[in-house]
Amino acid sequence: DKLESSKRAAAYRAIDENIDFKTDKVIGIGSGSTVIYAAERLGQYLKDSEYSDLVSEFICIPTGFQSRRLILDNGLKLGSIEENSMIDVDFDGADEIDDDLNLIKGGGACLFQEKLVSTSSKKFIVVADYRKKAPKYLSTNWKSGIPIEIVPSAYVRVSDDLKKLGAKHVIVRQGGSAKAGPVVTDNNNFLIDADFGMLENPAQLHDKIKALVGVVETGLFIDNASKAYIGNADGTVNVFT
Ligand code: DER
């Protein structure tokens, strides 16, 4: 369908255009439904006799459980950020992207590892479908609020502080129907989704939220992405830098 083909087109082109197969060795692999195609494309290079020797030496750094599966399922070598603190290029999705390449991320509950990897990378390439590009400000299309990872015991304190900062709606993200209670991240933390409406100054808001006692990290990725590949419904791809 058009949505999946737009994701695939964006991810394939991002991989084709942003890996120097001779010099790049450590590749970040993000989380979500679009980065699936980036890992798939790398897997195709692994099977291509012209590239397989180089790609079989790549070390891929995951950002969570699904990301580890993507690396393993595509036959790629799984590494750890402890052993590979410098990453050559990172590929990840986003929930929304503005004109300055600032992002809202965290819809998939992996924002901490994603930001640890994306900010440890020389190049951070975003891959997304046409729904993700904000016409101007963040939180135009993405209405689920800014994902924020917090220390569990601080959820009341942080919720109150976020409301004082101007959040209209604050919620601790709940697990699936089977699991009564909050989502617990890979880092044993909770997530709060905070709706601040249209974000005209996401950098300033990130700094204010990050300074709150109990906040581990925010889903606002400011001055981090190098490029964004946005797939269109007709299969074409727009590249933003
Ligand atoms: O949580 C995230 O930031 C993920 O990258 C994810 O939200 C990306 O969205 P996608 O599934 O549309 O690629």
Side-chain angles (χ1 to χ4, degrees), residues 7 31-34 92-95 105-109 114 129 131-132:
K7 294 180 182 198
S31 305
S33 61
T34 310
D92 200 347
D95 296 314
K105 281 179 62 56
E114 288 173 329
D129 64 73
R131 300 170 303 166
K132 305 307 185 78

Side-chain angles (χ1 to χ4, degrees), residues 25-96:
K25 285 280 170 290
V26 187
I27 314 290
I29 300 292
S31 305
S33 61
T34 310
V35 77
I36 291 172
Y37 297 108
E40 182 179 276
R41 187 62 163 176
L42 268 182
Q44 291 170 3
Y45 278 104
L46 185 61
K47 295 193 183 83
D48 179 327
S49 57
E50 194 183 332
Y51 293 92
S52 53
D53 290 350
L54 296 166
V55 178
S56 58
E57 292 307 308
F58 281 7
I59 298 174
C60 295
I61 311 302
T63 53
F65 179 84
Q66 181 223 0
S67 170
R68 282 197 299 281
R69 285 304 335 156
L70 287 182
I71 293 164
L72 295 173
D73 293 346
N74 286 286
L76 300 161
K77 200 181 285 182
L78 178 62
S80 71
I81 195 157
E82 291 94 326
E83 297 162 304
N84 305 275
S85 55
M86 276 304 294
I87 296 166
D88 292 306
V89 53
D90 176 32
F91 297 91
D92 200 347
D95 296 314
E96 201 172 45

Side-chain angles (χ1 to χ4, degrees), residues 84-194:
N84 305 275
S85 55
M86 276 304 294
I87 296 166
D88 292 306
V89 53
D90 176 32
F91 297 91
D92 200 347
D95 296 314
E96 201 172 45
I97 305 151
D98 75 8
D99 292 340
D100 301 321
L101 290 188
N102 293 320
L103 314 173
I104 293 179
K105 281 179 62 56
C110 299
L111 72 93
F112 179 79
Q113 297 282 342
E114 288 173 329
K115 193 177 275 191
L116 183 58
V117 169
S118 68
T119 55
S120 305
S121 302
K122 291 175 197 155
K123 273 199 318 185
F124 170 32
I125 311 295
V126 176
V127 291
D129 64 73
Y130 48 89
R131 300 170 303 166
K132 305 307 185 78
K133 182 69 185 65
K136 186 167 175 55
Y137 296 125
L138 290 176
S139 276
T140 303
N141 302 322
W142 178 259
K143 293 297 181 200
S144 307
I146 302 167
I148 302 162
E149 182 146 340
I150 65 159
V151 176
S153 57
Y155 78 91
V156 174
R157 165 70 185 275
V158 174
S159 299
D160 292 347
D161 287 352
L162 288 166
K163 286 175 191 153
K164 286 178 195 148
L165 271 185
K168 292 180 292 191
H169 187 60
V170 173
I171 184 164
V172 176
R173 194 180 300 180
Q174 298 301 308
S177 53
K179 178 189 182 299
V183 166
V184 176
T185 69
D186 291 346
N187 318 297
N188 294 319
N189 290 320
F190 286 175
L191 289 164
I192 280 183
D193 293 301

